[in-house]
Amino acid sequence: MAMPEPAPGYSGPRYAQASDVNDAWLQRLLQCQQQGQLLPKKDAYLLVLDVIRQLKSEQTLGRIQVNPGQKLTVFGDIHGQYFDFMNMLSMTGMPSVNTPFLFNGDFVDRGSWSVEVITMIFAMKMQNPNAIFMNRGNHEMLEANMIYGFAGEVGSKYDLDLFNLYSESFRNLPLLHLVNNQVLVVHAGIPGPRPRVWLPGQTHDPEDAVPVNLQACTLAEIASVDRYTELTPNSYKDAVDDAPRKEEKWETDTRMIIDFLWSDPRGGSGYGPSYRKSRGVFMFGPDVSDQFVRENNLKLVIRSHEVKADGYLQDRPHAVSVFSAPNYLDTGGNKGAFLQLSPGPDGNLQVTPTSFTAVPHPDLPPMYHQNYIAENHPHLTRQMKKKQAPQPWKRVVCSELSGVHRPCSD
Ligand SMILES: [Mn+2]
């Protein structure tokens, strides 16, 4: 494929292969992107292609070992907030084998510098694949990227062929990482009810529950999930059991992927319907996470996916949430946080949270590039419009596009 060379005045780093990336290279990329300069298109393609190859060699359930003296930093949702991301890097320092990073999904969408965030993460990944780990979030997904800004941003800053390559990289992302066989890190939550019943008329009342499973899903079952997929608008409701039946392997996998990308904890016991998305997305009670942690000999589940006032929240003994996008959507008023895991004297991982507030960014609103798709590739949004057309009074789409849709969670 013939690719243009960068403009004559380009003074930033070049990427042709992984060995090009070193600490100085990353610092130059950080500064260039801060000043509005992007990695050249040709280089961006080569970087994403290398990341795809790397991710294909990784597992659905990745494993990380943190030895005494080493420290793993876990980041929650970043959502294209590049300036806050840079601020976090100034607090954590850059990744290394002794100070690895785990990005727990939702790197992109919403914020208007998703390209800068993902380029930085991917470049760090290629510098040292054993110092950077990533889990897929519900925004590393084609459907979400078409609606919440990333597709439009890549189209506007590069082109949509590169967006297709990003989507391919997202389909290859691991879904979870297990740290020292003690702490499981996943974007949203743990597996849902079996059978996957959706009670007619079940309310959000915490007393109204599908009971906890007889046995928790095992880590071996989770590790066997074929993660290479793209969820569609029908995936969620199609994953519900309307009548008891034998499920195929791909169905079992789809159900778990939905839970890993979309579920949330809830106050009541058992399982209940989520406020998100559609029929087929569940919330899990403290008894569910207790059972999961106990039967899998874990100490803790770390998840992200929800805004928290201090950027993190441990609201039950065996689960903690971390969210790294402060003042989310420029209106959240929340702090961001990251967690750092290091083995204590007893060998157990100690979790240390750091909260921080938002830093200033250039005057661009969230999802600034969203309209690029509607304006330049209207056929790509036809299906969405058709879906909405019979209900012109229903303004949900407008609020989604303007970024005020469900600001309390992601
Ligand atoms: Mn999320």
Side-chain angles (χ1 to χ4, degrees), residues 181-379:
N181 290 315
Q182 292 177 10
V183 176
L184 187 71
V185 186
V186 60
H187 179 68
I190 55 181
R194 289 179 163 180
R196 200 173 179 85
V197 288
W198 193 261
L199 300 179
Q202 187 184 11
T203 67
H204 293 289
D205 185 329
E207 299 292 307
D208 198 1
V210 176
V212 61
N213 294 332
L214 291 174
Q215 270 189 314
C217 188
T218 67
L219 294 179
E221 288 175 275
I222 289 171
S224 79
V225 168
D226 178 357
R227 68 187 181 278
Y228 184 84
T229 193
E230 202 66 74
L231 297 177
T232 72
N234 289 331
S235 298
Y236 311 92
K237 59 180 178 0
D238 288 351
V240 168
D241 279 317
D242 289 315
R245 65 187 170 86
K246 172 102 179 71
E247 63 188 61
E248 306 285 334
K249 170 77 162 59
W250 71 266
E251 291 178 297
T252 309
D253 291 354
T254 302
R255 292 164 183 210
M256 283 203 260
I257 293 167
I258 290 170
D259 299 326
F260 298 149
L261 299 190
W262 283 100
S263 66
D264 290 295
R266 71 179 210 149
S269 60
Y271 292 98
S274 174
Y275 296 91
R276 297 174 190 267
K277 208 66 190 170
S278 78
R279 179 179 141 89
V281 181
F282 289 90
M283 302 177 86
F284 55 94
D287 54 337
V288 176
S289 43
D290 283 354
Q291 179 205 39
F292 181 82
V293 162
R294 188 176 63 247
E295 294 186 7
N296 284 300
N297 290 316
L298 301 173
K299 300 245 184 311
L300 184 70
V301 172
I302 295 177
R303 45 88 62 179
S304 299
H305 194 46
E306 282 181 295
V307 179
K308 299 296 176 191
D310 291 322
Y312 71 98
L313 183 68
Q314 180 158 13
D315 55 1
R316 55 181 74 179
H318 298 120
V320 58
S321 301
V322 60
F323 191 87
S324 302
N327 197 27
Y328 180 51
L329 293 170
D330 285 349
T331 55
N334 60 293
K335 289 182 181 169
F338 52 82
L339 305 178
Q340 294 187 302
L341 281 59
S342 209
D346 59 357
N348 289 336
L349 285 171
Q350 312 289 310
V351 180
T352 308
T354 300
S355 288
F356 54 90
T357 53
V359 296
H361 61 68
D363 189 19
L364 275 190
M367 301 204 294
Y368 174 75
H369 302 283
Q370 163 60 24
N371 288 336
Y372 173 88
I373 298 293
E375 284 165 12
N376 296 282
H377 304 276
H379 63 289

Side-chain angles (χ1 to χ4, degrees), residues 10-50:
Y10 179 75
S11 58
R14 298 297 312 268
Y15 183 92
Q17 59 213 355
S19 58
D20 292 337
V21 184
N22 55 34
D23 293 346
W25 191 105
L26 290 173
Q27 290 306 321
R28 273 164 63 215
L29 181 69
L30 270 177
Q31 289 156 10
C32 283
Q33 293 191 148
Q34 182 183 18
Q35 292 154 11
Q37 203 167 37
L38 298 168
L39 194 65
K41 183 190 279 198
K42 179 180 184 172
D43 305 34
Y45 271 76
L46 292 172
L47 174 61
V48 183
L49 284 168
D50 280 353

Side-chain angles (χ1 to χ4, degrees), residues 77 106 138 187 305 410:
D77 306 38
D106 286 10
N138 61 308
H187 179 68
H305 194 46
D410 236 288

